[in-house]
Amino acid sequence: MNKVKIVGLSLLLLVVFSTNCFAKTEELKIHQENRTVSIENAEEYKSNIENEITLDGIVYHLKDIKEQENKVTLTKNKEFKEQAIDKTNDKYSALALFEEKIQIEEDGYTGIVELQNDSLDLKINDSYIEPYKVTLKREYNNVLANELNDIPKTIEANGTTYYLIDPVWNVAQTQNIDGHNIPIAYHGIMNYEGIKERRIIRNYIATVTYKGTLEKEETDSITYHLTYEEVQTKEKDYTIPVVATTTAGIAIFSGIIIFKRKNIYIYNNKNNNWKLIKKLHLAKNERLINITPLTPSVSRKYKIVLSNKLYHALLHSNITIKYFDKQYIYEVKEKEFEIYV
């Protein structure tokens, strides 16, 4: 390398390291909890949610609470009777007086009940008793005298008393005596009359039954989605002192390059082939690997490859793998391992 290049590189390094450089703040860890509680205990649970929790030595602060109501459907059978006035005593005419279906709302329940056609019951609703005359006729032949001595004045028949009201006599046989035809036998027609009663029906009452099932939704429980965020500790000062000499600047620059050397390689499975999509550097005290792709991935199958040094440093320890808003805990047992997100 000639002197001009050496001088140029030295000046460049001097400019770069003459400014204060700060390391990016590490991404804060997120912890999420889901808890479903009965509606009766929801308020008590909510009032006792902790604002801060400590997990694996890390302090988290409550960042967000989301509530999700869990509904259940309750049902109950509904049955009742309806009545209407009918004048015909005809089944089909009576059924036509009622709606086939009725929408019901009561105590928060809703549903449809249907008319049960076979439940129709018709009974007399309004009526009165009316008397009317009935007649009876009796005939008597060859009666010697047209007198009523031997003729019954009343007759009992089918529970009704008939009274003689109109006797009619006709000559049945005569005999000529001294030139005169004298009746010697008669034919009698006895007309009787009685009073009966009958019920006159003005209308009927029709009764039917409706049946159906009513439903209502109720909140049975509430699921709380809690999001905790790691409490940010005091930010470390990564200020790099001004480089005094070109040689020192080159040494520091080389150290940074070595410090930031990539030790994690993220692959995505594309058409059954592994494609490198991301390179990361994981510091010794870090345990979070963010595999969220910079561009959309073809599949959700990933492979993580650790460098030899990092693999031995993390062996049999747990790491957190972050994919968008999801996190997975994985124990390092191999240098290369696959994960499906």
Side-chain angles (χ1 to χ4, degrees), residues 29 43 48 53 58 63 79 89 106 139 143 194 211 274 304 321:
K29 294 180 174 64
E43 288 301 321
N48 291 322
I53 60 174
I58 300 175
K63 182 180 181 182
E79 179 177 337
N89 196 26
E106 64 175 30
E139 294 186 11
V143 178
K211 291 182 180 181
W274 293 107
I304 300 174
I321 299 173

Side-chain angles (χ1 to χ4, degrees), residues 34-261:
N34 296 326
R35 177 73 182 273
T36 299
V37 296
S38 65
I39 191 66
E40 295 83 4
N41 300 324
E43 288 301 321
E44 180 183 358
Y45 171 78
K46 187 175 181 180
S47 63
N48 291 322
I49 293 176
E50 295 179 305
N51 287 321
E52 280 192 356
I53 60 174
T54 301
L55 299 172
D56 298 329
I58 300 175
V59 180
Y60 294 87
H61 182 76
L62 183 62
K63 182 180 181 182
D64 183 46
I65 300 177
K66 289 186 174 64
E67 298 180 18
Q68 175 185 321
E69 293 185 348
N70 303 311
K71 302 284 188 178
V72 293
T73 300
L74 304 180
T75 63
K76 72 173 183 177
N77 295 326
K78 179 67 177 178
E79 179 177 337
F80 62 91
K81 296 183 181 298
E82 286 285 318
Q83 293 183 327
I85 301 300
D86 176 55
K87 295 182 179 180
T88 65
N89 196 26
D90 176 75
K91 173 183 178 181
Y92 299 102
S93 174
L95 288 174
L97 299 173
F98 301 93
E99 297 180 54
E100 291 187 2
K101 297 180 180 181
I102 300 178
Q103 179 74 33
I104 299 293
E105 293 185 13
E106 64 175 30
D107 302 330
Y109 287 85
T110 61
I112 295 176
V113 293
E114 296 185 350
L115 172 65
Q116 307 299 301
N117 291 331
D118 58 355
S119 68
L120 176 65
D121 180 35
L122 280 170
K123 290 183 179 179
I124 296 173
N125 179 59
D126 186 13
S127 65
Y128 62 93
I129 301 300
E130 177 187 70
Y132 65 99
K133 292 181 179 181
V134 290
T135 60
L136 187 67
K137 183 183 290 187
R138 291 285 189 268
E139 294 186 11
Y140 299 89
N141 296 313
N142 297 319
V143 178
L144 298 178
N146 56 352
E147 296 177 358
L148 300 177
N149 294 333
D150 297 325
I151 302 300
K153 308 304 184 290
T154 61
I155 297 176
E156 294 288 336
N158 298 324
T160 301
T161 301
Y162 292 85
Y163 297 89
L164 179 62
I165 61 169
D166 185 20
V168 177
W169 294 102
N170 295 310
V171 176
Q173 187 178 351
T174 61
Q175 184 178 0
N176 191 305
I177 300 174
D178 297 332
H180 296 283
N181 290 324
I182 303 302
I184 61 172
Y186 293 89
H187 174 71
I189 300 174
M190 304 296 113
N191 295 301
Y192 294 83
E193 188 177 85
I195 301 298
K196 282 190 173 184
E197 292 180 342
R198 59 188 172 193
R199 181 178 293 276
I200 303 301
I201 300 173
R202 289 192 176 98
N203 56 53
Y204 299 82
I205 185 164
T207 304
V208 295
T209 301
Y210 284 88
K211 291 182 180 181
T213 301
L214 307 183
E215 296 182 348
K216 76 172 178 179
E217 270 196 348
E218 278 191 352
T219 300
D220 177 64
S221 61
I222 296 180
T223 299
Y224 291 90
H225 304 276
L226 310 180
T227 300
Y228 287 88
E229 186 177 64
E230 179 186 3
V231 176
Q232 188 173 9
T233 57
K234 185 177 179 181
E235 195 173 288
K236 296 181 180 179
D237 185 5
Y238 289 100
T239 304
I240 299 176
V242 176
V243 178
T245 64
T246 302
T247 304
I250 294 174
I252 294 173
F253 182 70
S254 301
I256 292 176
I257 292 176
I258 295 172
F259 179 74
K260 287 296 183 179
R261 182 177 296 167

